[in-house]
Amino acid sequence: MLNHEIEQLDAAIRSLITGSTPHLSRENPQLLSMVDLASQLRLMPRPDFRMRLRDELLAQASLPPARRRAFNSNIALPTRAYLKSPTTHDSVLPPLFSTSPSMLPVRGSHLALSFALHVAALAVVFTSGWWMVQNRALVRTQIASRWSGTVDYILPAARGETHGGGGGGTHDKLPASRGSAPRFSEEQLTPPAVVPNESPKLPAEPTVVGPPEVLLPQLGQTGDPIAAILNPPSNGTGSGGGIGSGEGGGVGVGFGPGVGDGRGGGIGGGVFRVGGGVSAPRPVFDPDPEYSEEARKAKYQGSVMLWAIIDAEGHPRNLRIARSLGMGLDEKATEAVSRWRFEPALKDGRPVAVQISIEVVFRLY
Amino acid sequence: MQILKATERDADERDLIEAAQRNPSCFTGLYEANFDRVYAFVARRVPNREEAEDVTAEVFHQALVGLAGFEWRGTRFAAWLIGIASHLIARRWQRAAGHVEVPPEELESIAVSDQTERQALLAQLVDRLPEDQRHVIRSRFVDQRSIREIAQELGRSEGAIKQLQFRAIESLRNQIRSRHA
């Protein structure tokens, strides 16, 4: 009998919870009174509600009287929204005909700060726009050029002349990428590589063969200093290790473990090259080149590499394009550099002609 | 209007009120003493638990703000709270009905009743149930979980949970009857 009543009570409670009317026999008043009690239990508050409201009241009580009154409309309602079922949106969203401007707390200082920041941001936008309109011509033609220090193997003065060269590569599909050649050393343990061997059997610093007192500029990524591309990294199409299109564990187009055109290590001869007792020429007059109309319209940017001989008077001679950019910028670069003037290179205290590379960068701002 | 049955002495309540008027942090004493009563009153007059909690919270927030103006005239504090609750509920009715005025007699009828006291007592008695029975009652009626879910949570059979539910309600009924007697 008790089991039957237990089942009947549970069935009635299920009906109450689902919102339907429980069907009970009036012959069992005890069970009826229990179902009536169960219907009242449905209205019980959630256990955490009492504690949360108590905390809210304590927070409200701790405020000065003026703010305590405002607490009701500004803080308490959103706090209580957390206690609500997520399906009831009336406390989360303001009612359609609400007389309150906001249901979230607003502090005057925060509002003022926000307003000031917005005004400042708008002022910056309008001022910069106005400046751009007023200086349209200047913006259009503004370019940057710089004389590059990454000349072809630019070297400090040393006791003797340097000769020879080197080259390398690992039969990559792409030509070697641009970067700095590693330092010179008397003997080579490891050839340089743009893409290094991750787990070498004998870890050793990559070097190229040449006079150790000659310090090559180190600019970060290892590569061929006169290569056209910066990325993707490639050791080049040459062979025998190293970087470039040559052969023999060096850097460049030559043969051997040196750098540049030539053989057997070291660095190439011919016209004086910077280094090995020859100082680098220093530009003293280097006006910016103009942007070609075609390139400016196309918003074309990049750099042109020029080969030049700087004679003993500091004039650029025999300008050649080592790396072309196109769109008329090669001509503009040549035209500008031809007007440059240098403090000539020195060998044993006397000015001498040297061959250098000049990189002219074209960039639109 | 019926008078609320006192569960505490008037003097104690007066002390609590005066203490809360001097130091609002003491309002929590009045809150604890009257929460069940106010909630029970509100819950029977609004459509769901969420709204009941919302109105109850607003009653106490308004009471805390207006406490300084409360004057002891022999009326129980609960009656004052119930008065605030009545007005809040009436305002909700008016809003829901498109600003139709609620007749005064309707407001009168939602004053204090034995039913409210009974409901408040029920909430207090649930708190005093044995742990397992209290857990079943809260899971079933507040969280509206099924017998199977509760059984799985407690690692017991569904029959055992139904029995706990039955015993808890039976116990509550007996205690309420004995109080009334």
Side-chain angles (χ1 to χ4, degrees), chain A residues 95-158:
Chain A
L96 186 60
F97 301 105
S98 171
T99 53
S100 168
S102 169
M103 296 189 76
L104 297 175
V106 175
R107 291 187 182 172
S109 57
H110 293 178
L111 192 66
L113 181 64
S114 170
F115 180 75
L117 286 173
H118 279 83
V119 168
L122 283 173
V124 168
V125 169
F126 284 119
T127 307
S128 57
W130 179 82
W131 186 89
M132 295 271 280
V133 171
Q134 295 297 315
N135 300 276
R136 200 179 306 158
L138 180 62
V139 172
R140 272 189 188 167
T141 56
Q142 193 172 25
I143 57 169
S145 68
R146 69 185 168 88
W147 182 75
S148 171
T150 58
V151 213
D152 189 13
Y153 320 125
I154 183 168
L155 304 169

Side-chain angles (χ1 to χ4, degrees), chain A residues 42 44 50 56 60 72, chain B residues 31 39 49 54 57 61 118:
Chain A
R42 279 190 312 134
M44 277 197 311
R50 186 179 188 136
E56 266 192 17
Q60 187 185 11
N72 242 357
Chain B
Y31 168 75
Y39 181 85
R49 178 179 287 116
D54 205 13
H61 282 299
R118 189 163 176 256

